[in-house]
Amino acid sequence: MTNSIAEIGDASVIMAVGTNTTSGHPIIGQQVRAAKRKGSKLIVVNPKEIDLARTADHFLRLKPGTDVTLLMGMARVILDEGLYDKSFIEQRCEGFDAFVGSLAAFDLDSVEKVTGVPKDAIAAAARCYASGQPASILYCMGVTQHVQGTDNVLAVSNLAMLTGNIGKPSSGVNPLRGQNNVQGACDMGCLPNVYPGYQPVALEEVRAKFESAWGAKLTDSPGLTHTEIFDSMFSGSIKALYLVGENPYISEANSSHATEAMEKVEFMVVQDIFLTESARYADVVLPAASFAEKDGTFTNTERRVQRVRRAIEPVGDSRADWQIVCEIARRMNAKGFDFSSPEEIMREIASVTPSYGGITFKRLEYGGLQWPCPTEDHPGTPILHTERFPTDTGKGKFKPLAYRKSAEEPDEQYPLILTTDRSLYHFHGTMTRRVYGLNILEKEEMLRINPEDAVQFGLKDKGKVRVTSRHGTVETKVLITDKCPRGMVSMTFHFAETPTNIMTCSELDPVAKTPTTKVCTVRVESV
Amino acid sequence: MKEKINLTINGRSVTAEKGMNVLEASLRNNIYIPHLCFHAELQPAGACRLCMVELDGQRTTIACKTPVEEGMVVRTESPEISETRKVALELLVADHDTDCLNCVQNTKCALQRVADHVGMNLKRLQRLKFREEKLPVDDSNPFFTFNPNRCVLCGICVRTCSEVQGAEAIDFTNRGSEAIVAGFGAKPRIESNCESCGECVVRCPVGALTEKDYERPTHQVRTVCSFCGCGCGLFLGVRDNRIVSAKGDINSRASQGRLCVKGRFGFRFVNHPERLTSPLIKKDGEFVEASWDEALDLIVEKFSRFKGDQFAAISSAKCTNEDNYLTQKFTRAVMGTNNIDHCARL
Ligand code: SF4
Ligand code: SF4
Ligand code: SF4
Ligand code: FES
């Protein structure tokens, strides 16, 4: 997030794109509702009638996968009506002319046709977003899990720059990160193309720095992404997999492919707190300590590094993940793994990661610190880009965009669009499924479908249904609800007995390589 | 700094901040005024009328709804005020389930505190009994119980649900002595809009809303929630090397003391019987328990054979920064490949 969670409540306009905030990020959802009660305007962009839509001033119920078009249409209105922030664009941004050029294709009539949202509604929302300052955009998986994911993110930034809503309190573009420490896992370089702090592996001087810090020769060949790793296991070029705390069986797009890949790989180690469905394919399973049993830090969605503290002894013979990794490395005679505490590890992290340079456990005792925090006397950064953008010129770059289709469009054989989403009561599933009460609140998978579609396909409420995509098939129960628009059905992916992601499509966003779990086409039959 | 206001309470000169009400000003200066329906994070409702005080030697007023003013003279006790409070209290206690020793709020209950201060006329109390039978308990929610026989109708839960959580799941139904808090449309909570956040449970001043299976921890440890990216601050309650409770950390800048259903009630996975407690090695298709030495030696032997781009690691967005840092360092520096990713893309 460019801004902080606590600022959201003071925004005068909030636009929530593709996020069911009250379920996915409940505490941020509270902030949105609080702002609304104080009189802020709320724009909800979502194919589904999510809870926030009930109180929204503008509810743009677009066709799944058409976000770019809608956001560009809004930008066009703001431009045509002169509602943009001229001085911000002149002083802080570049590439404006090319961007304006690309808006030519997004006249409201075409935008209405593509998105299914009436043009007056688009124009009204655009005016609302542009005329209330500060305005904050929140977005989530709904935006990034598309073939067009990267474009969606750019379209959101374009809109914010156009109205000068960056670098100020309660404004900004605020991606809501799903898991507790996705932000941290990225910051720490658990990505194939960057070392900790997003320092590119391809840069010679960066590599040299890490070679000397780690005392090891490092490769310059780029690594594979999550989905590519599973493809390579499938094809046999990857022979050993070390899977730490993840369950691709339920979380991976096109998970039957992932499952086969796990069967094929020669040697697989799974390190987790439970014997997950994926762990069953492992050759060795290592018991890991849970968050309550170890010290360390998590970095939340607002870039705040916070202390995690050990509350109890590790359960059984389990060990903290960092200890296990050190132990394996030492047994392989590697140097640089003699840590005796997470605090020591953080010292090394700070020494090689400029944005974490000023972070120490001692400072974190008094509350979290938001990166960039380059030095020990730096107070941290609640708001990004207040003076410059992290680009070569320091300017924010407008990006011209075009409309691209989703990988899968509905057709006769697969007439419905399936999207996956999250329940308030579960998180992926490995942990929450083992909490008795959370299972009572939501105990099984349901296919959510519009009443008219249900009639057309002969489905009964609470009846059984078989859902089939090009990639796989599952059986589940039906829940008829007009919260789903016609032509679209939705399911969660928390339940191992109904592995929704068997059906989803692993077509990748060409830049971010994010699988498009949000859009995949299916047919449904009553059973 | 907020503007200071000088006033006199029970003959003592005290200061308060502009914007406070008389109840807050008094409590801040360690002068107790009985109260039940006031909560610092919520709009005052003026429902219980226990906080009645005398202003400037003339009129009586409700302290929680009266903003402080410069030079105000407040009296918190008088025979007339005492009598009013006694009556108000007796009406509340008459049908109350006063089995205090069996109530988790015992010794921390706001009603006990009020009763202790105000006192009661037992004879009158007997005559006031309205109900012969107890009201049914709503235990439809898996995490907490609502016992209307212990409810003082302060409305804190109702205001919490609308002002803090924004769910508007519960409200008063019926009027007068029949009044009761229930899910919208007098439904059990499980059928209402309730999001099970438990914010109402932590704010209930008495034992009407209580956590199920509650065990009081012996000590608490400050940490961060492990479910979503909000990173709410929480205190884990520990008892006998088990996690038995979770409480919001009011000093957390991310969450200001609030938690959702997962953060507050989801901790039970930690001590779940299915936790992995020993390394496992697959032999002839079956997992068998192994020692750490055995498991690690096997891993080291295999990993040593698959160095370079035949190896890949997938790290976890559930693990700490320190865990993740070492996993990628290991992959790059020891295994010699950049094949490292995590599940953020999903
Ligand atoms: S349940 Fe508790 S908070 Fe709610 S009205 Fe009754 S006593 Fe007050
Ligand atoms: S648990 Fe939360 S949502 Fe449910 S009634 Fe209480 S405050 Fe409202
Ligand atoms: S308490 Fe809820 S909102 Fe807060 S971090 Fe945990 S899961 Fe997220
Ligand atoms: S506390 Fe003031 S009326 Fe209840």
Side-chain angles (χ1 to χ4, degrees):
Chain A
M1 288 169 69
T2 58
N3 293 60
S4 307
I5 296 173
E7 291 169 32
I8 297 168
D10 295 319
S12 49
V13 181
I14 297 172
M15 181 154 107
V17 188
T19 148
N20 186 359
T21 326
T22 53
S23 289
H25 298 83
I27 294 302
I28 296 176
Q30 275 191 0
Q31 289 278 340
V32 176
R33 287 169 171 169
K36 183 71 192 125
R37 273 195 305 279
K38 281 194 274 179
S40 312
K41 295 274 183 265
L42 175 61
I43 306 168
V44 168
V45 180
N46 209 309
K48 283 185 76 176
E49 189 185 333
I50 57 167
D51 181 69
L52 284 179
R54 280 193 296 143
T55 51
D57 299 277
H58 303 274
F59 174 29
L60 309 183
R61 197 169 191 177
L62 78 181
K63 290 188 193 149
T66 62
D67 305 66
V68 171
T69 307
L70 185 83
L71 295 169
M72 289 295 272
M74 286 177 69
R76 170 83 187 257
V77 172
I78 293 170
L79 187 82
D80 287 351
E81 301 191 4
L83 300 172
Y84 56 101
D85 186 337
K86 209 160 170 230
S87 68
F88 184 87
I89 296 169
E90 272 165 15
Q91 287 158 23
R92 302 281 317 270
C93 307
E94 59 193 21
F96 186 57
D97 294 339
F99 169 66
V100 170
S102 77
L103 283 180
F106 294 90
D107 62 280
L108 282 189
D109 289 316
S110 340
V111 173
E112 172 174 322
K113 209 173 290 154
V114 173
T115 62
V117 182
K119 59 184 174 187
D120 293 345
I122 301 171
R127 285 179 206 123
C128 171
Y129 174 72
S131 37
Q133 293 273 349
S136 174
I137 304 181
L138 311 176
Y139 68 92
C140 192
M141 316 292 257
V143 170
T144 50
Q145 282 178 0
H146 282 298
V147 189
Q148 317 87 334
T150 308
D151 283 0
N152 288 345
V153 175
L154 294 173
V156 169
S157 322
N158 284 340
L159 208 51
M161 287 192 292
L162 188 62
T163 52
N165 273 307
I166 290 223
K168 300 169 189 160
S170 304
S171 71
V173 285
N174 297 298
L176 308 181
R177 312 302 302 258
Q179 303 241 31
N180 60 324
N181 202 32
V182 199
Q183 183 69 55
C186 295
D187 297 349
M188 289 304 105
C190 287
L191 291 168
N193 56 341
V194 290
Y195 293 118
Y198 308 96
Q199 304 174 78
V201 293
L203 281 189
E204 184 62 49
E205 68 264 27
V206 169
R207 199 162 59 243
K209 170 178 133 179
F210 278 93
E211 285 185 339
S212 89
W214 291 346
K217 184 94 194 80
L218 299 176
T219 173
D220 57 359
S221 79
L224 302 176
T225 64
H226 197 292
T227 313
E228 291 167 339
I229 288 172
F230 280 90
D231 288 343
S232 306
M233 284 159 53
F234 192 81
S235 71
S237 58
I238 284 185
K239 301 200 162 52
L241 179 73
Y242 186 17
L243 188 64
V244 182
E246 227 220 302
N247 191 8
Y249 182 83
I250 59 174
S251 64
E252 182 79 351
N254 189 4
S255 62
S256 57
H257 175 72
T259 306
E260 270 177 69
M262 290 191 288
E263 273 170 358
K264 275 194 169 163
V265 74
E266 265 190 69
F267 185 66
M268 173 164 145
V269 178
V270 168
Q271 187 167 303
D272 213 320
I273 61 176
F274 291 107
L275 192 67
T276 60
E277 292 74 21
S278 305
R280 295 180 200 283
Y281 299 95
D283 298 285
V284 181
V285 178
L286 299 175
S290 80
F291 86 112
E293 297 144 47
K294 63 186 174 189
D295 285 303
T297 55
F298 289 155
T299 305
N300 77 353
T301 188
E302 49 172 3
R303 297 168 282 107
R304 191 185 300 278
V305 185
Q306 309 192 95
R307 266 289 263 124
V308 176
R309 291 183 186 80
R310 174 172 174 154
I312 56 172
E313 299 288 310
V315 167
D317 211 3
S318 66
R319 295 184 185 176
D321 294 279
W322 66 269
Q323 282 173 314
I324 303 174
V325 176
C326 283
E327 188 68 34
I328 297 174
R330 279 199 300 261
R331 283 174 194 238
M332 291 177 77
N333 300 318
K335 283 195 263 326
F337 288 87
D338 296 313
F339 298 99
S340 62
S341 70
E343 182 165 13
E344 270 180 32
I345 303 170
M346 182 50 88
R347 244 175 263 144
E348 180 171 314
I349 294 172
S351 71
V352 295
T353 315
S355 52
Y356 278 65
I359 291 176
T360 64
F361 272 35
K362 192 150 170 252
R363 288 187 76 191
L364 296 179
E365 276 309 306
Y366 310 103
L369 284 166
Q370 283 170 286
W371 65 258
C373 176
T375 55
E376 284 208 31
D377 52 10
H378 191 285
T381 311
I383 305 174
L384 290 180
H385 320 319
T386 48
E387 273 144 40
R388 61 192 312 275
F389 287 89
T391 56
D392 46 355
T393 53
K395 301 246 173 168
K397 292 185 198 289
F398 278 102
K399 289 279 158 54
L401 294 171
Y403 171 67
R404 278 199 275 132
K405 282 188 168 182
S406 292
E408 297 191 3
E409 299 259 325
D411 54 23
E412 243 164 60
Q413 221 187 341
Y414 300 100
L416 293 166
I417 294 181
L418 168 75
T419 80
T420 57
D421 50 21
R422 233 181 246 302
S423 140
L424 165 65
Y425 303 107
H426 290 288
F427 212 98
H428 283 201
T430 309
M431 284 148 59
T432 49
R433 286 300 305 283
R434 288 178 172 85
V435 178
Y436 169 76
L438 293 173
N439 277 322
I440 302 250
L441 291 172
E442 182 140 345
K443 55 180 179 298
E444 59 192 345
E445 189 60 75
M446 292 273 192
L447 175 89
R448 289 167 172 76
I449 187 168
N450 181 282
E452 289 173 44
D453 286 337
V455 172
Q456 184 183 337
F457 297 103
L459 299 183
K460 284 200 202 67
D461 201 34
K462 309 232 162 58
K464 283 197 98 184
V465 58
R466 185 183 305 119
V467 191
T468 310
S469 80
R470 283 187 178 79
H471 311 280
T473 174
V474 301
E475 288 190 8
T476 184
K477 268 191 178 171
V478 177
L479 181 79
I480 296 179
T481 165
D482 53 19
K483 297 205 151 68
C484 261
R486 280 215 73 175
M488 183 183 133
V489 293
S490 84
M491 290 173 72
T492 72
F493 50 93
H494 305 297
F495 302 93
E497 59 275 26
T498 317
T500 308
N501 277 327
I502 278 187
M503 294 181 296
T504 52
C505 153
S506 56
E507 186 95 13
L508 299 181
D509 172 277
V511 180
K513 308 261 170 86
T514 311
T516 78
T517 52
K518 283 288 162 190
V519 179
C520 125
T521 54
V522 294
R523 67 165 174 269
V524 294
E525 298 138 302
S526 161
V527 287
Chain B
M1 270 304 267
K2 294 237 178 75
E3 196 185 315
K4 286 262 175 278
I5 303 274
N6 300 295
L7 67 163
T8 311
I9 303 181
N10 297 347
R12 244 171 74 193
S13 302
V14 299
T15 55
E17 279 165 20
K18 194 177 172 147
M20 276 185 171
N21 61 51
V22 172
L23 176 61
E24 286 176 290
S26 184
L27 295 173
R28 183 70 67 89
N29 285 285
N30 281 321
I31 301 167
Y32 178 70
I33 299 177
H35 60 97
L36 276 177
C37 68
F38 178 74
H39 191 284
E41 290 172 84
L42 305 172
Q43 294 295 323
C48 73
R49 306 189 71 81
L50 289 162
C51 68
M52 179 128 332
V53 294
E54 192 184 276
L55 269 197
D56 303 324
Q58 307 169 10
R59 59 193 181 101
T60 53
T61 181
I62 289 175
C64 67
K65 293 201 95 171
T66 309
V68 288
E69 277 167 34
E70 188 63 33
M72 215 173 219
V73 178
V74 181
R75 210 174 140 199
T76 70
E77 303 287 340
S78 75
E80 183 203 339
I81 290 174
S82 285
E83 194 49 33
T84 320
R85 285 186 187 148
K86 269 204 178 70
V87 173
L89 174 67
E90 283 157 5
L91 284 169
L92 287 177
V93 177
D95 283 319
H96 194 88
D97 192 354
T98 43
D99 184 12
C100 290
L101 283 184
N102 258 321
C103 179
V104 286
Q105 283 289 75
N106 190 27
T107 75
K108 296 187 308 191
C109 173
L111 184 62
Q112 287 178 334
R113 178 82 169 97
V114 171
D116 177 49
H117 187 91
V118 174
M120 285 174 284
N121 177 332
L122 277 181
K123 277 225 181 82
R124 208 164 47 193
L125 200 55
Q126 301 295 326
R127 287 202 304 271
L128 276 172
K129 284 247 174 251
F130 300 110
R131 273 194 288 272
E132 287 305 315
E133 280 174 26
K134 292 203 184 306
L135 294 168
V137 169
D138 179 354
D139 63 359
S140 61
N141 188 289
F143 296 114
F144 56 83
T145 303
F146 170 59
N147 182 348
N149 305 298
R150 287 187 179 142
C151 173
V152 295
L153 299 173
C154 67
I156 285 178
C157 54
V158 175
R159 280 175 284 145
T160 299
C161 194
S162 82
E163 294 173 32
V164 174
Q165 181 64 9
E168 287 167 2
I170 50 177
D171 203 354
F172 289 105
T173 53
N174 308 336
R175 301 212 161 256
S177 64
E178 298 292 301
I180 187 172
V181 178
F184 211 73
K187 282 188 289 201
R189 272 152 222 256
I190 196 92
E191 290 166 33
S192 73
N193 275 347
C194 174
E195 294 167 349
S196 300
C197 65
E199 293 289 346
C200 56
V201 180
V202 272
R203 285 177 182 72
C204 176
V206 298
L209 281 168
T210 52
E211 195 172 321
K212 283 186 181 171
D213 304 320
Y214 181 75
E215 281 182 82
R216 203 176 295 286
T218 52
H219 67 284
Q220 299 189 49
V221 177
R222 186 155 62 101
T223 187
V224 179
C225 177
S226 72
F227 289 107
C228 87
C230 294
C232 297
L234 62 86
F235 284 95
L236 287 179
V238 181
R239 178 166 178 159
D240 190 21
N241 207 35
R242 282 175 305 126
I243 305 297
V244 295
S245 68
K247 197 179 106 192
D249 176 2
I250 197 85
N251 290 317
S252 159
R253 293 205 201 120
S255 56
Q256 279 108 17
R258 305 200 175 151
L259 295 174
C260 79
V261 55
K262 298 185 288 295
R264 191 181 312 280
F265 301 118
F267 56 84
R268 285 187 205 274
F269 78 90
V270 172
N271 294 104
H272 193 278
E274 284 171 19
R275 275 288 299 273
L276 283 167
T277 54
S278 149
L280 304 172
I281 295 178
K282 199 177 266 168
K283 287 181 184 152
D284 305 321
E286 294 286 325
F287 281 123
V288 289
E289 290 197 0
S291 70
W292 274 99
D293 272 332
E294 241 181 299
L296 291 171
D297 285 342
L298 177 60
I299 291 170
V300 165
E301 183 213 313
K302 297 279 188 180
F303 279 6
S304 303
R305 282 185 16 221
F306 296 122
K307 279 196 180 180
D309 290 340
Q310 319 169 64
F311 176 84
I314 290 173
S315 193
S316 171
K318 298 247 80 88
C319 290
T320 63
N321 288 327
E322 293 73 13
D323 296 333
N324 278 303
Y325 175 80
L326 287 189
T327 306
Q328 64 85 35
K329 180 178 176 182
F330 171 76
T331 306
R332 291 183 160 125
V334 182
M335 298 307 294
T337 175
N338 283 314
N339 291 340
I340 167 85
D341 204 349
H342 68 290
C343 48
R345 292 155 204 279
L346 294 167

